[in-house]
Amino acid sequence: MMEQDIEVPGMKSRLAAAAPWWQPTNGSLLAIRGGRPLVGTYPISGAKNAVLPLMVSALLTPHLVTLRNVPANLDVAVLAALLQRLGCGLHWSTRGGDLALTLSADRVHPAGIDADLVARMRASVLLLGALLARCGEARLPMPGGDAIGLRAIDFHIAGLRAMGATVTQEGGLISATAPAGLRGADILLPQPSVGATENLLLAAVLANGTTTIRNAAREPEIADLATCLVAMGARITGLGTHRLTVTGGTALAGAVHHVMPDRIELGTLACAAAMTDGELRLPHGRLDLLGAAADSFAGAGIDLHETDGGLVARRAAGGLRGIDITTQPFPGFATDLQAPTMALLTVAAGASAISESIFEQRFRHVDELRKMGADIAVHGRTARVRGVDRLRGAAVTCTDVRAAAALVLGGLAAAGETVLDGLDHLDRGYDRMTEKLAACGAAIVRSDRP
Ligand code: UD1
């Protein structure tokens, strides 16, 4: 399913009402003059994939939930607008550059779901578990998001059914009810799905009895969500493991939670430092957040080391070298780092093989990187990359959020000018990337279409 464009009638005003910091008119093209080393401090924002489920968790309690270190990106603005339509109060504040959001869901109207907004983001599926748990009913259009594969939600639905919900799917609409409330269940996920683990966790904390989620995903964003739920009074054990046990049924209080750093932004900027032969300080970065990517990056010639308060990234003395990677659930190599790493490997010495095992269609950046002179051949779910000396600037289109980041990296390293369009994809996942890169020396400008 292709993501809908931002130009839905009334969309901009709805986003502006829910997230006043969002600037919808800050340019539809991004021009990058490549070849400058990135040097300086690149502030790593709160994690997009952590803040979205955390925002949804506020639906589980009538008390205030405050999230600090919220990334200012389009997905956050869209989810804020969705929550507002469901009756959730939103209060934004900034302190020393830190964006904080206080959510108050003392009354929730489950019928308020906005189809246009749901179509914009995959994470809206998380509303299903939270609304069912809080209101006993939920109706949701099939969620949208990046067009990177089939992205079924059968694990979510099977899990909610095991907890006693009646779920039907008709005409692109999912309807779920649990008039007598949800009950604890023993759930085995066929695959460690991030979204299904989060959805079922959100549902389980208010369900009666004990829920066990086996083969749960172990992505750090799930432990971040569970940590916030525990602070709200939920009883969850097994954080960071494949088996989460939730003793549900307790009314939840409010909480204040600091969103974890964005490990995908971290890995992406480590690639940027190495590709441009610069040196970036990445505050709050930690090697353990990168999982297997930390070793892969070292193998590819990224010198990445921990210092007080963060990571420092630069190109290793031996230069960049080709490596083989296969994306896997955490702690394996993150699929969200596949596209940025491919950009890195297009200018590494020798050959690389990149296998995508999580999503079926996550090579849409390949054609765009080829326009920049990259030598990449795709065979099924493996891309073979032969490093070239230099990419060259080109006009390219962002096709999904991580593809957008890969094209920015290509542009930063390329000779000449690269112009990106499709910037909604970049904005969905990255907080003020243009400004942060410019502050580290990139020649990067957003402008409106002539
Ligand atoms: C989340 C992340 C996304 C990341 C992905 C994998 C968010 C908002 N998004 O997406 O950035 O790329 O994890 O790390 O956190 N699947 C099914 N049925 C289901 C659920 C999933 O078949 O019911 C399949 C998917 O099609 C996919 C695989 O399982 O092939 C993994 O998907 P999942 O972990 O659920 O990804 P998301 O939660 O959508």
Side-chain angles (χ1 to χ4, degrees), residues 237-268:
T237 58
L239 271 62
T241 74
H242 277 311
R243 189 190 176 99
L244 292 168
T245 305
V246 185
T247 310
T250 319
L252 297 184
V256 177
H257 182 81
H258 189 91
V259 180
M260 66 170 282
D262 196 313
R263 64 195 169 93
I264 306 304
E265 186 181 37
L266 184 68
T268 302

Side-chain angles (χ1 to χ4, degrees), residues 49 122 151-156 191 193-195 336 358-359:
N49 287 354
R122 164 84 179 171
R151 306 197 84 173
I153 55 165
D154 48 335
F155 309 162
H156 302 240
Q191 246 173 277
S193 154
V194 174
D336 285 351
I358 309 288
F359 291 109

Side-chain angles (χ1 to χ4, degrees), residues 48-50 52-53 75 122-123 126 148-157 191-196 198 217 219 221 263 329 335-336 357-360 362 381 402:
K48 169 181 99 74
N49 287 354
L52 302 174
D75 269 10
R122 164 84 179 171
L126 299 176
I148 55 177
L150 296 173
R151 306 197 84 173
I153 55 165
D154 48 335
F155 309 162
H156 302 240
I157 289 175
Q191 246 173 277
S193 154
V194 174
E198 291 167 348
E219 269 65 4
E221 292 77 14
R263 64 195 169 93
T335 173
D336 285 351
S357 78
I358 309 288
F359 291 109
E360 300 84 1
R362 213 171 200 186
R381 286 169 78 159
R402 308 306 175 188

